[in-house]
Amino acid sequence: MIGPARRRLPRPGLRTTLSLAFAAMAALVAVVIGTLGYHAAARLIRDDETDDFTSAVSAVSGQVQREKLFPGDFNSPSGLGEQLLHPIRVTAQALDSTGAVLPGTAHLDLPTTPDDRALARAEAPARTVVDVRRIGGSTCRVGVVSLGGGRGAVQVVLQLDDIEELLERLRQQMAAVVAGVVLIAGGAGRLVAGRITGRLVRLTDAAELVASSGRLDVPVPASGRDEVGRLGRAFDRMLVRLATAKENQRRLVQDAGHELRTPLTSLRTNLAVLPNLDRLPPTERVALLSDLSEEARGLSRLVEELVALAADRKADEDPVEVVLAEVVHEAAAKARRRSNREVVVAADDTVVVARPDALARAVANLLDNAAKFDPDGTSPIEVVARGGRVEVRDRGPGIDDADLHRVFDRFYRATAARSLPGSGLGLAIVAEVARSHGGTAFAANREGGGAVIGFTLAG
């Protein structure tokens, strides 16, 4: 039987995680430095105490070699023991010839060993034995120096417990310092993490507000030159572009609805007459059917241009190297067949990086526009393509000065063009293609009559 699922603990927030990371790093550094410092200090202290003990034993041994001494020489506060050992943190006690400790020099309850008694009876002076002994619960380093002639010996004693107590206090102080460093680092890390995560929290709040409300005018924190600031500015630019795209979409839908209203109304009117088609005179019947066919073709063109403009095709077509002259010649050949007009091409061998289908559509729209405004012209339509610049020249009526800056707007149709077929999207598509390739669209009146309309490509 499977038991109930264990509840998973919630993961800590970014601020807590950063604070713990700061504290852990500081603790690691403090522990390493503290450990190294403690061992270095302990080694220095122990080496210093060892040097003191060795100096004390050497001092006694040297004095014994220089003169004939007796255990009683160490049996007074001002005796040789004080003179030789006073600056050093060691003590001394004398042994008689039997190895017993003289009462006047007994500073410690240190029992004698067979080696101590043997040295006390030794004939040679300054014979020395050093070892470590336990006295009750204490540890001592003991050096025994023979006086020679069987007169006794001197014990030099260094208590090691004082050193260990000093090192224990040092360990406690090191631990306190490490704990303090960890606490300070944790607090500092929390402050720093607060400054970092504060902006992230505000950015998250902004993103959640956008997701929940759909609003794109939400203020975004974009201060700072670090990665968080860069993220905020990138998010802000993204919202601006989304807002622009949403506004363009809204305008496109509104404009499309406005443009579709007229042909749909006309189509509904003509469809209402269809049930009585047999009652109409032959001429009206032919005119009605022709009108329906033309309106259907107009709606098809309008829908195609709306789809081409609204459904950004950049994702479906990758830029490749294109010989501009080939695109222009192909578009000119199609325009000749559609309009039965002469189209003259002047193009060099410029190679551009572009989306071929989009480029061909832009050139075709320029040629269709020229043919539409000069349907009965006798002069050829000229296409010039050189160095990443394409322009189409016609000898039509030209463009009013008031309309020059608006001919590339979506659905815009000049007064003189409202009686002509079209949707007002052809030149808007040209401008969009140019803009997507890093170029611009342009329009001007041609000297001697007509218009020059075209676009440029980057690079």
Side-chain angles (χ1 to χ4, degrees), residues 1 20 42 45 50 59-60 82 91 94 97 119 124 129 138 145 236 289 292 317 331 347 351 367 370 376 435 446:
M1 181 176 179
L20 292 175
I45 291 172
T50 300
V60 173
E82 291 295 325
T91 57
S97 59
L119 287 175
V129 174
S138 301
V145 180
D236 187 52
L289 293 176
L292 282 171
E317 187 181 14
V351 177
L367 291 169
D376 301 322
R435 190 180 305 113
R446 187 180 181 188

Side-chain angles (χ1 to χ4, degrees), residues 317-322 327 330 352-363 433 437:
E317 187 181 14
D318 295 326
V320 296
E321 288 189 349
V322 179
V327 176
E330 184 178 350
V352 296
V353 177
R355 293 178 287 124
D357 291 346
L359 194 58
R361 185 172 185 84
V363 177
V433 171
H437 287 82

Side-chain angles (χ1 to χ4, degrees), residues 259-260 263-264 267 291-309 313 361 365 411 421-425 429:
E259 291 296 322
L260 286 169
L264 286 175
L267 190 61
D291 193 20
L292 282 171
S293 178
E294 182 61 31
E295 287 169 353
R297 284 195 297 271
L299 279 173
S300 297
R301 287 194 301 270
L302 178 59
V303 170
E304 288 176 1
E305 291 176 340
L306 281 172
V307 170
L309 193 62
R313 303 258 177 107
R361 185 172 185 84
N365 284 0
F411 299 107
S423 63
L425 290 174
I429 292 174

Side-chain angles (χ1 to χ4, degrees), residues 21-335:
F22 272 105
M25 184 63 68
L28 178 62
V29 173
V31 167
V32 170
I33 293 177
T35 301
L36 294 176
Y38 168 78
H39 285 295
R43 185 172 60 253
L44 288 175
I45 291 172
R46 289 191 174 106
D47 289 347
D48 184 60
E49 293 294 334
T50 300
D51 291 342
D52 286 349
F53 177 78
T54 303
S55 298
V57 173
S58 298
V60 173
S61 178
Q63 190 68 23
V64 168
Q65 288 177 335
R66 284 191 295 271
E67 60 180 300
K68 185 177 181 179
L69 297 177
F70 294 88
D73 294 332
F74 295 87
N75 193 16
S76 68
S78 60
L80 285 176
E82 291 295 325
Q83 295 176 22
L84 296 174
L85 308 178
H86 177 69
I88 307 174
R89 296 191 317 114
V90 297
T91 57
Q93 57 186 14
L95 305 178
D96 61 14
S97 59
T98 64
V101 179
L102 293 182
T105 64
H107 300 291
L108 296 170
D109 186 12
L110 181 65
T112 59
T113 66
D115 290 338
D116 296 344
R117 292 189 286 272
L119 287 175
R121 295 190 299 268
E123 292 295 328
R127 287 181 57 188
T128 304
V129 174
V130 176
D131 60 2
V132 177
R133 304 179 189 177
R134 296 286 298 175
I135 307 174
S138 301
T139 304
C140 299
R141 181 176 283 115
V142 180
V144 183
V145 180
S146 65
L147 297 178
R151 294 187 298 274
V154 178
Q155 289 179 323
V156 179
V157 183
L158 173 65
Q159 288 186 307
L160 300 179
D161 289 345
D162 294 341
I163 300 174
E164 295 305 320
E165 289 177 3
L166 175 62
L167 293 179
E168 178 61 27
R169 289 196 299 271
L170 182 60
R171 282 194 293 269
Q172 293 174 356
Q173 291 173 355
M174 287 287 187
V177 170
V178 169
V181 169
V182 171
L183 291 177
I184 294 173
R190 188 165 182 81
L191 290 176
V192 174
R195 294 191 61 182
I196 296 174
T197 58
R199 287 179 292 161
L200 286 176
V201 169
R202 292 193 295 272
L203 188 59
T204 303
D205 292 340
E208 290 177 345
L209 181 58
V210 171
S212 62
S213 66
R215 290 175 49 199
L216 299 176
D217 58 345
V218 176
V220 177
S223 60
R225 297 180 177 272
D226 55 2
E227 288 77 3
V228 179
R230 287 173 54 197
L231 177 62
R233 287 189 291 273
F235 188 74
D236 187 52
R237 289 194 298 270
M238 181 186 71
L239 288 184
V240 170
R241 295 195 64 177
L242 285 174
T244 302
K246 185 177 181 180
E247 176 61 20
N248 290 339
Q249 183 184 41
R250 185 188 64 80
R251 286 177 51 201
L252 179 64
V253 171
Q254 289 180 346
D255 292 343
H258 175 74
E259 291 296 322
L260 286 169
R261 189 176 296 117
T262 300
L264 286 175
T265 300
S266 176
L267 190 61
R268 281 197 300 267
T269 302
N270 289 329
L271 288 173
V273 181
L274 276 182
N276 301 317
L277 183 65
D278 295 338
R279 303 177 187 177
L280 295 177
T283 55
E284 293 184 10
R285 189 184 308 163
V286 171
L288 176 62
L289 293 176
S290 176
D291 193 20
L292 282 171
S293 178
E294 182 61 31
E295 287 169 353
R297 284 195 297 271
L299 279 173
S300 297
R301 287 194 301 270
L302 178 59
V303 170
E304 288 176 1
E305 291 176 340
L306 281 172
V307 170
L309 193 62
D312 188 359
R313 303 258 177 107
K314 286 185 261 187
D316 300 329
E317 187 181 14
D318 295 326
V320 296
E321 288 189 349
V322 179
V323 179
L324 193 56
E326 294 179 359
V327 176
V328 171
H329 279 292
E330 184 178 350
K334 293 180 180 178

